[in-house]
Amino acid sequence: MTADRLSGDTQLQRWTVPQDEAIQHGTPAEPASEPVSVGRGELPQEAVVWRPDGTLITRQDDATLKLWALDSAGAARRPAPRTALQQVMWAPGGEEVAVLAHQDGWYLMDPAQPGRGLLRHVEPHPYTRRDPTQQDAFLREIGELGPEEFSLGGTLVAFAPDERVYAVTGGRRGPLRLVSPGEAERQAHLAVDRPLWTGLCFAPTGDRLIGSLRLHGKTMLVPWEFTTDRSDHLVPVRAGGSATGVTPPIESVACLTASDTHLALIADPHLIGLFSLHDLQPICWLRTNAPLRHAAFSPSGGQLAVAGDAGLYLFSVAPLPPGDRT
């Protein structure tokens, strides 16, 4: 383990060390792998330890424990960036996942081989969809913000899969509107005044929008069916499917995302909720060990990727039984 005294950059490198007798005869130690950047840290406060069988290296500092597996060539694979992951996007065919590391750009990963880690750095993300980090740019594009204005999270916008139709709130407590090019603007009709919007997402079919809002200290889901124009039905977020189910202690909603059959709600404190998209009844809840930022279903709906401070979580999502939408 070495560190640059000026920059604080720390690198991990594997060396081949001769037997004591060979060293006494002048045989030097030699590098056995390229250096791997492991972030910044003070060396006196760190420890590097080998697993006894020589297949794993661990490094610990005051706040972090990291692990490296050795590949077939004996080189430590590059670890994930030492920053929170903030966004996740799937390739159109589902063969890759792009994740955005805070202040470190986009990285690609193979979801079929997650053990290989983040494969390479790309900038910007390589897919044709809108960059999810450009929310203020979206709002300026649709005329909700002036050239020099910033939303500060006050207005939510979500684009349909065709990226032409979009839904937008007039501020966190403003009306929810649906805008389609060449068509009259539509507005959701709710049974409550000035709801506090916390999330928006379209179903992959584009004919349905799911919103989340805060009402009397509880999180509610709002399905808006465009074919019937019904948007006045509020579904409480519960831990169980019954009306008496316990409400999870949701502090804030970070993200909503939908597949053809499921809805995922990402919330604090460190919660992932999975629902049936048909009736928004809960299927399961998971609690992680760190804050979560963003999530996305794979194009097939068979996997859910969740990005957060601890890295990227990949879940397999089982299809609902035939005829059973709950």
Side-chain angles (χ1 to χ4, degrees):
M1 180 77 74
T2 60
D4 186 295
R5 292 185 179 276
L6 295 178
S7 69
D9 290 340
T10 305
Q11 292 187 325
L12 178 68
Q13 186 175 24
R14 192 172 73 89
W15 287 66
T16 298
V17 181
Q19 298 293 327
D20 290 351
E21 183 178 354
I23 292 178
Q24 291 175 358
H25 287 84
T27 303
E30 296 182 349
S33 71
E34 293 296 320
V36 177
S37 176
V38 294
R40 297 170 183 269
E42 297 295 331
L43 287 178
Q45 299 173 342
E46 297 178 342
V48 178
V49 180
W50 282 88
R51 195 161 75 176
D53 64 6
T55 61
L56 199 67
I57 304 172
T58 67
R59 172 223 180 199
Q60 183 179 13
D61 60 23
D62 287 348
T64 306
L65 175 67
K66 284 194 172 184
L67 301 135
W68 286 265
L70 298 187
D71 61 23
S72 58
R77 294 192 294 264
R78 178 189 179 99
R82 195 181 176 182
T83 56
L85 299 183
Q86 296 182 313
Q87 302 282 344
V88 58
M89 297 180 71
W90 287 85
E95 68 278 4
E96 287 180 326
V97 177
V99 294
L100 177 67
H102 178 59
Q103 296 183 339
D104 202 13
W106 289 91
Y107 288 80
L108 296 184
M109 182 183 137
D110 181 356
Q113 302 182 71
R116 296 179 62 192
L118 302 182
L119 303 181
R120 65 182 185 276
H121 184 267
V122 292
E123 196 65 40
H125 71 81
Y127 311 138
T128 57
R129 296 209 57 153
R130 293 172 181 268
D131 187 331
T133 65
Q134 303 299 311
Q135 289 290 310
D136 278 4
F138 300 163
L139 293 172
R140 294 189 187 98
E141 176 188 335
I142 64 179
E144 294 290 329
L145 283 179
E148 304 300 326
E149 291 183 297
F150 296 90
S151 70
L152 300 178
T155 299
L156 302 182
V157 60
F159 285 87
D162 65 5
E163 299 204 330
R164 296 173 60 252
V165 176
Y166 62 88
V168 63
T169 65
R172 286 286 188 181
R173 292 189 178 274
L176 174 61
R177 296 176 287 124
L178 181 71
V179 181
S180 304
E183 299 182 16
E185 187 176 293
R186 298 160 69 177
Q187 183 171 314
H189 302 286
L190 302 179
V192 296
D193 293 328
R194 293 178 55 78
L196 179 60
W197 294 103
T198 57
L200 298 173
C201 79
F202 279 86
T205 54
D207 61 355
R208 191 182 194 198
L209 179 78
I210 308 298
S212 62
L213 57 83
R214 194 82 171 165
L215 183 66
H216 305 310
K218 297 182 179 180
T219 297
M220 316 287 283
L221 296 175
V222 184
W224 185 359
E225 302 281 355
F226 302 146
T227 53
T228 63
D229 206 27
R230 183 180 180 185
S231 58
D232 59 353
H233 181 48
L234 302 183
V235 181
V237 171
R238 300 187 183 278
S242 68
T244 58
V246 178
T247 302
I250 295 175
E251 297 174 1
S252 62
V253 173
C255 174
L256 287 176
T257 185
S259 70
D260 288 331
T261 55
H262 293 84
L263 175 79
L265 182 149
I266 311 302
D268 272 337
H270 317 169
L271 293 169
I272 304 170
L274 187 67
F275 300 78
S276 164
L277 185 63
H278 170 64
D279 53 12
L280 300 183
Q281 292 303 304
I283 296 172
C284 66
W285 285 91
L286 299 171
R287 186 188 293 273
T288 65
N289 61 346
L292 304 170
R293 308 296 177 185
H294 194 242
F297 283 100
S298 63
S300 69
Q303 287 184 289
L304 175 67
V306 182
D309 286 9
L312 184 69
Y313 303 85
L314 278 175
F315 299 95
S316 294
V317 182
L320 296 173
D324 182 3
R325 291 176 174 265
T326 61

